[in-house]
């Protein structure tokens, strides 16, 4: 995952092994895919049958261990800022199982 160095100082979205969705600025990464994020928020997307709205929980400076990273992608900031994340609903992403 050495290509992640191209994402440093850019806004990224990370999906973790326990199916959490994190968005923040990638500050640092290493060869084990350990990540340091700044201005991080966790997006908690509710299911369509849940009356409560989805939320974004601010986490600030955040470290994600490489063995907990499933997906890392760049965020289209213009598109991302145009979405009202409190109104977004969706199905849960299943976690992964290490054997």
């Amino acid at each position: 995952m050495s290509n992640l160095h191209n994402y440093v100082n850019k806004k990224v979205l990370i999906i973790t092994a326990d199916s959490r969705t994190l968005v923040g600025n990638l500050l640092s990464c290493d060869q084990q895919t350990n990540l340091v994020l700044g201005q991080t928020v966790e997006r908690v997307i509710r299911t369509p049958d849940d009356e409560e709205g989805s939320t974004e929980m601010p986490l600030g400076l955040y470290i994600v261990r490489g063995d907990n990273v499933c997906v890392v992608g760049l965020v289209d900031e213009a598109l991302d800022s145009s979405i009202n994340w409190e109104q977004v609903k969706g199905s849960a992403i299943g976690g992964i199982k290490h054997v």
Side-chain angles (χ1 to χ4, degrees), residues 17-59:
D18 58 352
S19 64
R20 294 171 67 195
T21 303
L22 306 171
V23 179
N25 295 322
L26 182 62
L27 301 178
S28 183
C29 61
D30 65 13
Q31 64 272 18
Q32 282 83 32
T33 319
N34 296 311
L35 306 175
V36 179
L37 300 173
Q39 300 172 332
T40 309
V41 295
E42 179 180 0
R43 289 190 178 145
V44 181
I45 307 299
R46 306 289 181 191
T47 58
D49 58 340
D50 193 342
E51 294 179 13
E52 189 176 344
S54 297
T55 58
E56 288 189 313
M57 297 177 50
L59 302 174

Side-chain angles (χ1 to χ4, degrees), residues 2 12 15 22-24 32 37 57 60 62 69 78 84 87-88 93 99:
S2 62
V12 295
I15 298 178
L22 306 171
V23 179
Q32 282 83 32
L37 300 173
M57 297 177 50
Y62 205 76
V69 174
N84 181 353
Q87 294 180 349
V88 172
I93 299 172
V99 181

Side-chain angles (χ1 to χ4, degrees), residues 4 6-7 9 14 16 23 26 28 31 42 54 60 65 68 74 81 83:
L4 285 179
N6 297 328
Y7 293 0
N9 296 322
I14 298 167
T16 64
V23 179
L26 182 62
S28 183
Q31 64 272 18
E42 179 180 0
S54 297
R65 285 183 47 149
N68 198 29
L74 284 175
S81 64
I83 297 171

Side-chain angles (χ1 to χ4, degrees), residues 75-94:
V75 172
D76 180 336
E77 294 192 49
L79 178 62
D80 189 63
S81 64
S82 71
I83 297 171
N84 181 353
W85 290 103
E86 292 180 2
Q87 294 180 349
V88 172
K89 299 283 187 172
S91 299
I93 299 172

